[in-house]
Amino acid sequence: MGAEVVRGNEGADPASVAFDAVDEGVKAGADVVVIDTAGRLHTKTGLMDELGKVKRVVEKRAAVDEVLLVLDATIGQNSLPQAKVFAEVVDITGVVLTKLDGTAKGGIVFRVQQELGVPVKLVGLGEGPDDLAPFEPAAFVDALLG
């Protein structure tokens, strides 16, 4: 997709890698720096503490405008405890709901919005680079009820 990637050495502290990425983005005049913290289980306290540290360290270099929690639509209501823990650690500004191209109906959309008060901003409709789309509530309801 043409994105510049900043990587750390094997075993590097994730917060320092995130800081380096933001530093590179600032130097390059980038409009956006995406920090992927995938693979964090909400039941692992150490990983959650590390996530909070990533955000605190990045904020020393630049403002954090958006924190998106990516949820797998196939997990359904089981996503809610995960979302609550993440929201306690970092201020989530929105949700990305993936795998809506399969059998999942995405009922978690309503619960996440009720419980966390944050919108679903993007939906994943496949695995390709162009398969991430803005969430359109009216189209979602029509598809759900249709």
Side-chain angles (χ1 to χ4, degrees), residues 69 71-73 95-100 106 108-109 120 122-124:
L69 174 62
L71 296 174
D72 181 333
V95 171
V96 178
L97 194 58
T98 64
K99 299 184 183 173
L100 279 178
I108 190 63
V109 168
V120 172
L122 299 166
V123 292

Side-chain angles (χ1 to χ4, degrees), residues 33 39 41 60 74 76 97 110 137 139:
V33 174
L41 298 174
K60 292 179 181 180
T74 63
L97 194 58
F110 304 109

Side-chain angles (χ1 to χ4, degrees), residues 31-108:
D31 294 327
V32 175
V33 174
V34 176
I35 300 170
D36 181 357
T37 61
R40 294 181 184 277
L41 298 174
H42 66 287
T43 57
K44 303 290 184 187
T45 305
L47 292 176
M48 289 292 96
D49 292 344
E50 197 173 71
L51 180 63
K53 179 182 175 187
V54 167
K55 186 171 184 228
R56 288 190 305 274
V57 167
V58 166
E59 288 175 325
K60 292 179 181 180
R61 185 65 174 105
V64 175
D65 298 326
E66 187 88 87
V67 177
L68 299 174
L69 174 62
V70 179
L71 296 174
D72 181 333
T74 63
I75 295 174
Q77 298 299 324
N78 293 328
S79 295
L80 195 55
Q82 176 185 4
K84 286 181 178 181
V85 172
F86 274 81
E88 290 171 6
V89 175
V90 292
D91 294 324
I92 298 169
T93 59
V95 171
V96 178
L97 194 58
T98 64
K99 299 184 183 173
L100 279 178
D101 56 320
T103 58
K105 299 296 182 198
I108 190 63

